[in-house]
Amino acid sequence: MTTVTSTTSTTTTAASTGYSALTSSDSGTGIDYSLLIEAKVNARLTKADRIDAKITANEAKITAYTDLQDLLQTVNESLDGLRNRSTSTGASSNLFSQRAAYIGDDDVFSATVDDDTEVGTYSVVVQQIATKHKIAADSASSKTDAMGYSGSFTLQAADGSAVTISMESDDSLTDLRDAINSQKSTSGVTASIVQVSDSGYQLILTANNTGEEITLTDGGDGVLSSLGLTDDDGAIKNELVAVQDAIVEIDGVTITRSSNTIDDAIEGVTLNLYSASPDTAVSMEISTDLSSIKTAITDFVDAYNAYRDFVVTQQSTTSDGEASEDATLFADSLLRQITQSVSSALNTTIATDDGTVLSLASLGITFDSTNNLELDEDTLNSVLSSDLDAVKQLLGLNMTSSSSQLSLLRYETAQTPQSFTLDIVRGEDGTLTSASVDGDSSLFTVSGNRIIGAEGTAYEGIVLVYTGSSGSVDVDFSQGLADTLYSAIDAAAADYDSDLTTAIDDLEAQDTTLQSRSDDIRTKAETYRTTLTAYYARLEAAAETAALLLKQLTYSEDDDS
């Protein structure tokens, strides 16, 4: 009985200890089952490790692609305003249409200018600036004590509406100020209190806007006279600033306005008057905002060089010719494709009508020994000031036509340079009936005065406006360097439907699939570990039982002898 009990106890212990009893030190057989289990499990995990390594490589590539995308988008941000496109033709701004006012003495006035305003030079004399009418009451000894006046009065500025102010005998100067200000948006008059001495306070009434006179009318109780706002005849008693309009002479023409902000004298120009200088004619030149164009070109050079530094890093090798540690995109076909596309666009040249060939060098931009860009500011300043049309033609989208009555409304980024002749027919009722090229009227549709490139044709995306009569119009589109480069980069790096976005999306989808496979392999490997552990634990328990039985048999034989 004792022997049987011992055998049962030992078998139970071996089976329950599982994995911990399978090391060589604990195993009854001396076999290190744990090493066997680890070897078998790790053989299965090797495939998961290879998958994880692929995921890690993909993540590094995604990061590199994202960095490249960001760098290229920064280049395009600098190019956008240089493409000579309006918002309707695909740009957020057009720096060639932006205007600036250059003023000889900006202490007298400043100016803001709308886009596309006609350029020109003006002589401006600020003879008088508009003022806000300001009047005062007589001095009071306290601003918080009751004044003892009862009654009412009305007040208003010329551009406001009359309001009634009622007073009680226990009202203070502060109460009166607050009552007036509670209706200032209606009356156009604001009240304030100024301490004029240690024991003297004055109520000040100021028109909210320049050029607007304040009028006061007593309600019959003599409150205005008691306050010292009017005299015995009802006239303003203490006028601090007389009301007056602004008077400005522009190219010899005198204009008068109630405001110091004048936006209707020169079309597209808003003058902001600061001080009068009646004996001084100030020169104001309205021209293209050259500083913004120069800034954009400088930003482009910096952005392009940052992109180039990234490309060089991705192409770097170690001393033994292997890809360097930072060259995640070494020999990457997509990077090579983008680099070639950008380089090709960057070398765009434009031939002018007189045969001059324009290129980056025309702007003072050249390549250094590492193919980064260098900018000669003197050359850039010179061409901006002397030949802005050449800069526009080199960089931007340009449409020329043989009719001044044909204008461009829309032109998509994907369009390429092209020339064609439009044969336009307008009916007897004045309606535009057709527009054709080489006799094919299916290439364009008409809607009102609009001529629209038909979908699926080379003219898709072009929208023209024509106000002339029937006839033929020659049309020429040239796509400059900035516009060409922008298009190439947009195709490669835009947030949607670009080469890099597609590549990143594909890698992320691949990683999702790979991660699922890796997780599945590891889960199955752990299940396999559990199965092996149980199996070897049973073998160990059986071996221990057999060993105990052998000992019992040996003991019995010895006992019989």
Side-chain angles (χ1 to χ4, degrees):
M1 294 295 295
T2 302
T3 301
V4 173
T5 301
S6 174
T7 300
T8 303
S9 173
T10 302
T11 301
T12 302
T13 301
S16 62
T17 53
Y19 189 83
S20 63
L22 300 180
T23 61
S24 58
S25 59
D26 296 328
S27 171
T29 61
I31 299 174
D32 194 339
Y33 292 106
S34 65
L35 290 178
L36 294 176
I37 293 170
E38 285 301 316
K40 289 179 176 292
V41 171
N42 285 337
R44 298 197 173 195
L45 289 176
T46 299
K47 184 180 291 186
D49 291 339
R50 287 197 295 268
I51 292 174
D52 289 348
K54 177 61 176 175
I55 292 173
T56 299
N58 282 352
E59 289 174 343
K61 202 168 186 178
I62 289 171
T63 298
Y65 277 159
T66 301
D67 291 343
L68 174 59
Q69 188 175 36
D70 290 343
L71 288 166
L72 287 171
Q73 287 182 359
T74 301
V75 175
N76 263 9
E77 287 170 5
S78 68
L79 290 173
D80 188 43
L82 296 171
R83 298 188 296 143
N84 193 32
R85 287 177 178 261
S86 63
T87 54
S88 64
T89 55
S92 60
S93 65
N94 184 355
L95 297 180
F96 291 103
S97 70
Q98 290 185 7
R99 301 290 183 257
Y102 299 93
I103 301 170
D105 184 357
D106 55 11
D107 290 333
V108 178
F109 69 93
S110 66
T112 57
V113 190
D114 296 340
D115 291 353
D116 293 314
T117 296
E118 289 294 328
V119 299
T121 302
Y122 302 87
S123 175
V124 180
V125 179
V126 180
Q127 297 177 346
Q128 177 176 292
I129 63 170
T131 58
K132 292 182 178 181
H133 198 198
K134 191 183 292 286
I135 62 177
D138 287 342
S139 179
S141 60
S142 172
K143 64 178 181 179
T144 55
D145 293 344
M147 292 185 290
Y149 306 138
S150 297
S152 64
F153 62 91
T154 62
L155 82 161
Q156 71 177 101
D159 60 346
S161 301
V163 299
T164 299
I165 307 298
S166 298
M167 294 187 64
E168 302 294 337
S169 60
D170 58 352
D171 283 342
S172 65
L173 200 60
T174 299
D175 294 330
L176 177 57
R177 177 200 63 191
D178 295 343
I180 293 171
N181 286 343
S182 68
Q183 301 187 73
K184 65 182 180 181
S185 60
T186 301
S187 68
V189 179
T190 298
S192 60
I193 297 174
V194 175
Q195 184 173 356
V196 295
S197 65
D198 291 342
S199 59
Y201 300 87
Q202 274 187 295
L203 179 74
I204 309 297
L205 302 182
T206 305
N208 293 347
N209 298 314
T210 56
E212 307 298 337
E213 185 176 10
I214 298 173
T215 58
L216 302 167
T217 304
D218 196 90
D221 302 298
V223 172
L224 290 176
S225 177
S226 299
L227 289 169
L229 285 168
T230 62
D231 59 21
D232 293 339
D233 297 325
I236 299 298
K237 183 179 181 181
N238 302 302
E239 185 174 56
L240 303 180
V241 178
V243 62
Q244 64 181 26
D245 289 334
I247 302 175
V248 180
E249 183 183 289
I250 302 175
D251 288 345
V253 178
T254 301
I255 63 169
T256 302
R257 298 290 186 271
S258 63
S259 173
N260 289 318
T261 300
I262 303 173
D263 59 7
D264 58 355
I266 304 172
E267 186 175 2
V269 180
T270 299
L271 301 176
N272 302 291
L273 310 184
Y274 300 139
S275 63
S277 185
D279 299 322
T280 304
V282 178
S283 176
M284 177 178 69
E285 180 184 1
I286 306 299
S287 65
T288 303
D289 188 357
L290 298 181
S291 62
S292 294
I293 295 175
K294 179 180 178 180
T295 297
I297 292 174
T298 302
D299 289 346
F300 158 67
V301 171
D302 292 340
Y304 177 82
N305 286 342
Y307 151 75
R308 274 296 306 169
D309 290 343
F310 175 87
V311 172
V312 170
T313 299
Q314 301 306 312
Q315 296 171 339
S316 62
T317 59
T318 61
S319 57
D320 57 4
E322 297 294 326
S324 66
E325 184 178 349
D326 295 333
T328 305
L329 300 180
F330 188 83
D332 182 79
S333 60
L334 180 54
L335 176 61
R336 183 168 56 252
Q337 170 192 320
I338 292 172
T339 303
Q340 291 171 348
S341 177
V342 169
S343 177
S344 175
L346 200 60
N347 285 287
T348 297
T349 59
I350 298 293
T352 64
D353 292 338
D354 63 3
T356 301
V357 177
L358 303 174
S359 66
L360 272 182
S362 305
L363 303 177
I365 300 175
T366 55
F367 293 96
D368 65 13
S369 59
T370 64
N371 279 330
N372 275 17
L373 297 180
E374 288 184 328
L375 173 63
D376 184 330
E377 285 197 41
D378 291 338
T379 301
L380 178 59
N381 291 339
S382 175
V383 70
L384 286 175
S385 59
S386 65
D387 200 352
L388 185 61
D389 286 341
V391 177
K392 183 193 296 186
Q393 188 173 359
L394 168 63
L395 296 178
L397 169 71
N398 295 278
M399 186 197 86
T400 58
S401 73
S402 59
S403 172
S404 61
Q405 293 171 309
L406 184 73
S407 60
L408 176 66
L409 179 62
R410 188 171 297 114
Y411 188 89
E412 293 183 355
T413 302
Q415 286 290 338
T416 56
Q418 53 189 306
S419 299
F420 53 91
T421 298
L422 271 176
D423 296 314
I424 304 170
V425 177
R426 192 178 291 277
E428 293 182 0
D429 61 353
T431 303
L432 200 63
T433 58
S434 70
S436 60
V437 175
D438 295 331
D440 189 348
S441 60
S442 68
L443 300 175
F444 287 91
T445 60
V446 295
S447 176
N449 285 331
R450 294 188 180 190
I451 300 173
I452 305 165
E455 185 177 349
T457 71
Y459 308 103
E460 180 180 354
I462 297 176
V463 180
L464 304 167
V465 176
Y466 184 65
T467 57
S469 56
S470 297
S472 296
V473 179
D474 295 327
V475 183
D476 180 76
F477 286 99
S478 65
Q479 192 175 15
L481 188 152
D483 201 49
T484 302
L485 182 56
Y486 184 98
S487 298
I489 290 176
D490 195 57
D495 285 331
Y496 303 99
D497 298 327
S498 69
D499 296 334
L500 283 171
T501 296
T502 298
I504 291 170
D505 289 344
D506 288 347
L507 287 172
E508 288 176 341
Q510 187 182 121
D511 278 357
T512 299
T513 301
L514 290 174
Q515 189 62 59
S516 178
R517 287 172 55 191
S518 175
D519 292 345
D520 184 57
I521 290 171
R522 293 186 184 281
T523 298
K524 289 179 178 178
E526 290 306 315
T527 300
Y528 184 52
R529 183 196 301 278
T530 302
T531 301
L532 284 179
T533 299
Y535 172 71
Y536 286 130
R538 288 195 299 272
L539 289 181
E540 178 66 14
E544 289 183 6
T545 299
L548 286 172
L549 181 59
L550 181 60
K551 286 181 180 180
Q552 290 174 8
L553 291 173
T554 302
Y555 177 77
S556 296
E557 291 176 358
D558 292 342
D559 193 41
D560 290 341
S561 63

